[in-house]
Amino acid sequence: MSPSVASQSRSLVARLDRIPRWPYPHLLLWIVGSGYFFTYFETNNIGIALPAIRKDLGAGSTAISLTITSSLLGFVIGAFFTSFVSDKYGRRAGILASLGVISLGSLATAASPNLEWLIAWRLVAGAGAGGAIVTISTYIGELAPAGLRGRYNSWASLFAFVGTTVTPLVALLLVPTVSWGWRPFLVIPIISVVFLVATRKSLPESPRWLISQGRDDEAEQIIDRAERFAIRRYGIQLPPPAAVAGEPRSNSRVPYGALLRKPFLSRSLLLTGIFFLFYLTSYGFASLNPTFINQRGFDLSASIGFVAIGNVGTIAGALLAPWISDRFERKYVIAAASLLTAAGCALLGVSTQLPGILAGTIITWFAAAVFQPILYTLGTETFPTRARTAGMGFSDGIGHLGGAVAAPALVAIHSGLGVTAAYLGMAVPMIVLLAFLPFIPATVGRPLTEINPETTR
């Protein structure tokens, strides 16, 4: 990079990072938030619908658990595929592609004539969801100034948790009413791509991605609008730009093999391990908690209702996350959330009555709603722009194998040792995860170009 080009890159990055308030219309958050909403609606609806699907299609517990495994294997495929689209064609293209795949998979899943087709189409829907998580979190992380990444990734994630909360409420209206009520329930996520296509012109491209591609003029236009918006909206004067590292230029994406070599290897393995353990617990819980409650003697409507009430914890955690995410280093928030998640699962394991079941569900969802946006923010901070979606896609994608093995493993534990052992099996990964936390780098408030391993060597 020539001195003049490097200077311009540093100037643009510094101008964006100096802005102390969110420098875009809040409509942008509603648009990307809707993507999160329907992604998490899609992710959680299958677990809630499983008892009805099992009855309607006449499948056993082991066979029905393959729908969860298929969906989460799709996450791996989608995270890899969409990261390629996002790196080559831009973050907006990655978001649109992933939501389009979710819509296709959801529609086809709902129309599945048997379990085999349902399992196959859940793979497609899962691929869309895996891609959406990677691209949306990356997009918000790159749009936000340095001091606001955690807060606004958390605000965007609030929509995801609203989707999680709304899912069982919608299920109560559709799933128990008729034997095929699970079908219209599963088709709802197609709304996501329709809304995004209608509003896509309100989404600016990531200026950091544009800079990395050498498209400085386009990036400067977006940053200039952001500066003027912040001054006009909040009545503030912007501080002078600080000295920061420039955005490395590259028209080529980082190949996945490079993520397993220096300077990316240690961070790739660290994030992959954390994602794997988190998904092992969170997807196991989301997928099987309604079924385990149902098998403890509560009917289908009651088990879905308990999950819906328990999601009060989800909203509480999602509302707390934006206020703490940029105040404390990521590792400390993750440690607290891990311990609380383990406690919630353990409480469910020893509870057979309504108060304990509700308390355990509320605690677990609360902790997950704090944990998840912090982890996604950390994932987008860990890699440079040219490797960001590749690194996040690799770590999150391989990490989703934890979610893929969670359902069959927990079903096997439940069959052999009972429901208490299954819930304790959800708690153990959160304790193991604590061993990874000392290796997480400090990221809060730091420019992305100072965190990533290309510019800090």
Side-chain angles (χ1 to χ4, degrees):
M1 188 186 302
S2 68
S4 61
V5 172
S7 176
Q8 184 176 13
S9 171
R10 287 194 297 271
S11 173
L12 291 173
V13 170
R15 285 172 57 190
L16 178 59
D17 280 342
R18 68 173 171 161
I19 304 174
R21 305 286 293 272
W22 180 248
Y24 311 99
H26 287 294
L27 174 62
L28 186 151
L29 282 177
W30 282 91
I31 296 170
V32 295
S34 72
Y36 260 149
F37 176 94
F38 288 107
T39 296
Y40 276 74
F41 189 101
E42 191 281 330
T43 301
N44 287 280
N45 61 12
I46 191 66
I48 294 173
L50 275 182
I53 294 172
R54 179 182 179 183
K55 183 177 180 180
D56 191 32
L57 299 182
S61 296
T62 302
I64 205 72
S65 70
L66 291 177
T67 62
I68 306 297
T69 303
S70 174
S71 180
L72 292 169
L73 287 175
F75 266 76
V76 180
I77 297 169
F80 279 78
F81 169 74
T82 311
S83 69
F84 170 79
V85 174
S86 180
D87 280 337
K88 186 171 181 62
Y89 299 105
R91 309 315 192 201
R92 291 190 308 174
I95 294 173
L96 184 60
S98 60
L99 293 181
V101 174
I102 285 178
S103 299
L104 172 63
S106 298
L107 182 61
T109 298
S112 297
N114 53 46
L115 185 63
E116 289 75 18
W117 277 108
L118 188 143
I119 291 171
W121 284 114
R122 286 303 298 176
L123 181 77
V124 175
I133 289 172
V134 170
T135 52
I136 292 173
S137 58
T138 297
Y139 180 69
I140 293 293
E142 291 183 351
L143 281 180
L148 301 174
R149 284 191 304 269
R151 179 180 299 180
Y152 282 92
N153 243 318
S154 296
W155 279 125
S157 293
L158 175 62
F159 289 84
F161 295 119
V162 171
T164 299
T165 303
V166 167
T167 305
L169 300 177
V170 177
L172 283 173
L173 298 176
L174 297 175
V175 178
T177 54
V178 291
S179 62
W180 47 267
W182 58 273
R183 295 183 185 272
F185 176 57
L186 294 186
V187 83
I188 289 173
I190 67 171
I191 299 171
S192 62
V193 74
V194 175
F195 181 68
L196 183 63
V197 168
T199 57
R200 67 189 185 281
K201 292 184 178 180
S202 298
L203 296 181
E205 184 54 84
S206 161
R208 299 181 198 272
W209 180 81
L210 290 170
I211 294 169
S212 74
Q213 301 296 302
R215 294 161 61 177
D216 289 358
D217 290 344
E218 295 173 65
E220 185 167 20
Q221 290 177 15
I222 294 170
I223 293 170
D224 184 62
R225 286 198 300 269
E227 290 172 327
R228 288 187 281 109
F229 178 87
I231 293 169
R232 182 178 69 254
R233 177 71 177 268
Y234 305 113
I236 58 175
Q237 292 297 316
L238 300 180
V244 299
E247 191 70 65
R249 306 299 179 105
S250 177
N251 290 321
S252 62
R253 65 190 305 274
V254 172
Y256 288 113
L259 297 172
L260 296 178
R261 298 191 297 269
K262 292 182 178 180
F264 304 114
L265 175 61
S266 60
R267 296 191 178 193
S268 297
L269 295 179
L270 173 68
L271 270 181
T272 300
I274 294 174
F275 273 119
F276 183 92
L277 293 168
F278 174 66
Y279 288 142
L280 191 60
T281 293
S282 62
Y283 280 104
F285 179 78
S287 300
L288 293 174
N289 190 39
T291 299
F292 287 166
I293 293 174
N294 179 233
Q295 293 180 358
R296 272 187 156 165
F298 297 94
D299 64 26
L300 177 59
S301 295
S303 64
I304 295 176
F306 290 169
V307 174
I309 296 171
N311 277 336
V312 169
T314 302
I315 299 301
L319 289 172
L320 176 64
W323 302 107
I324 64 173
S325 57
D326 289 320
R327 296 173 185 265
F328 305 99
E329 277 298 339
R330 315 294 185 215
K331 69 177 72 178
Y332 302 127
V333 179
I334 290 174
S338 297
L339 291 171
L340 202 55
T341 301
C345 291
L347 178 59
L348 279 162
V350 299
S351 300
T352 58
Q353 301 300 315
L354 176 61
I357 291 172
L358 285 179
T361 302
I362 289 171
I363 291 170
T364 303
W365 278 127
F366 172 84
V370 173
F371 191 126
Q372 188 164 295
I374 305 301
L375 179 56
Y376 287 169
T377 302
L378 177 66
T380 63
E381 292 171 330
T382 301
F383 298 96
T385 299
R386 75 183 189 96
R388 188 159 292 126
T389 52
M392 181 68 171
F394 177 91
S395 303
D396 183 68
I398 299 299
H400 266 97
L401 293 176
V405 302
L410 290 169
V411 167
I413 293 172
H414 176 262
S415 299
L417 299 174
V419 69
T420 297
Y423 277 118
L424 292 178
M426 297 178 190
V428 169
M430 291 293 94
I431 303 301
V432 175
L433 188 148
L434 298 174
F436 289 75
L437 302 187
F439 304 100
I440 293 178
T443 64
V444 172
R446 296 177 62 194
L448 289 173
T449 50
E450 292 183 3
I451 299 169
N452 79 67
E454 288 192 319
T455 54
T456 56
R457 283 179 296 171

